[in-house]
Amino acid sequence: MIQEPEYREGLADLALHYRKILELLGEDPERDGLLKTPMRVAKAMQVLTRGYEQDPHKVLTDALFEEKYNQMVIVKDIDFFSMCEHHMLPFYGKAHVAYIPNGYITGLSKIARVVDIYSHRLQVQERMTQQIKDCIQETLHPLGVMVVVEARHMCMQMRGVEKQNSITTTSDFSGAFNQAKTREEFMNLIKNRY
């Protein structure tokens, strides 16, 4: 059985605002199908923005291990869903993260958790990519970090330009990944499918 998440303060106020939005759109919030919609949307928005309440640096340090390994560690194809801050529509895709340890490693699932935390905020893809890289760099102090994010944006698919098959790719890197050869190795490794 799936446990319902704990909701943050302000849930009832948020639901009242969504009720007003329904009215402003020309709907009747008393209509049978919409009676519970304001609270459902309020709960969904709190879940979709739960990253504001989480500390990604702490996630990494909770599973920090001393290790002499100093080759590339890659966690690729990390699924994520986020909300574009410009239109509050979803964007979703995959993140690929690599770092080269400098005496310390973190649990592999913690890298995916960092992606999850930053994606569960109102975002733009470019900033999210940089935040993931900066968090890992600042917390683990590795020899280098590289992040590549590939995403589909509903704001481009459903409205405006309406291009359903476009994918946006962003990247950011530091340290050893400033060398083209190291970046190329990472890019080749994330292209390979098992």
Side-chain angles (χ1 to χ4, degrees):
M1 184 171 153
I2 297 175
Q3 184 179 347
E4 189 159 312
E6 289 186 30
Y7 296 103
R8 302 189 302 272
E9 190 176 325
L11 183 64
D13 288 340
L14 196 54
L16 286 174
H17 287 287
Y18 280 113
R19 179 183 168 82
K20 185 64 177 170
I21 288 170
L22 288 173
E23 290 173 359
L24 292 170
L25 292 173
E27 268 293 355
D28 175 11
E30 295 296 319
R31 185 165 60 80
D32 189 41
L34 294 177
L35 276 174
K36 295 182 181 178
T37 296
M39 184 55 74
R40 283 189 196 108
V41 177
K43 286 179 176 180
M45 288 305 292
Q46 283 204 352
V47 169
L48 294 171
T49 60
R50 68 180 180 246
Y52 291 117
E53 303 293 316
Q54 299 170 324
D55 181 354
H57 299 277
K58 184 177 182 326
V59 165
L60 290 174
T61 58
D62 279 351
L64 193 60
F65 308 102
E66 191 170 348
E67 191 63 50
K68 299 294 182 208
Y69 187 79
N70 63 357
Q71 299 301 312
M72 198 179 302
V73 176
I74 300 173
V75 182
K76 68 179 187 174
D77 295 332
I78 303 167
D79 292 318
F80 76 88
F81 299 88
S82 193
M83 295 288 285
C84 166
E85 68 182 33
H86 298 148
H87 300 99
M88 290 183 69
L89 289 171
F91 68 96
Y92 61 94
K94 294 189 182 296
H96 315 284
V97 180
Y99 74 101
I100 301 173
N102 187 17
Y104 290 91
I105 60 170
T106 190
L108 297 175
S109 68
K110 305 307 180 189
I111 301 294
R113 287 281 314 275
V114 168
V115 172
D116 188 60
I117 290 169
Y118 284 116
S119 68
H120 280 83
R121 299 175 180 186
L122 296 181
Q123 278 290 12
V124 295
Q125 183 175 334
E126 298 87 343
R127 181 189 322 118
M128 186 180 88
T129 303
Q130 185 174 20
Q131 288 174 328
I132 295 165
K133 186 265 301 177
D134 288 346
C135 177
I136 295 167
Q137 185 66 51
E138 293 165 7
T139 308
L140 300 181
H141 306 288
L143 299 175
V145 179
M146 185 161 178
V147 177
V148 172
V149 175
E150 302 168 299
R152 294 180 184 273
H153 292 251
M154 297 303 282
C155 56
M156 283 185 64
Q157 294 177 323
M158 294 176 64
R159 55 159 304 283
V161 71
E162 295 185 17
K163 298 301 177 204
Q164 283 71 35
N165 297 310
S166 65
I167 296 174
T168 302
T169 302
T170 52
S171 68
D172 198 4
F173 51 87
S174 65
F177 289 95
N178 284 308
Q179 298 172 16
K181 183 178 177 184
T182 308
R183 284 195 312 276
E184 185 179 330
E185 178 186 351
F186 171 67
M187 296 303 288
N188 285 333
L189 288 168
I190 66 172
K191 280 187 224 172
N192 294 334
R193 300 292 179 211
Y194 296 100

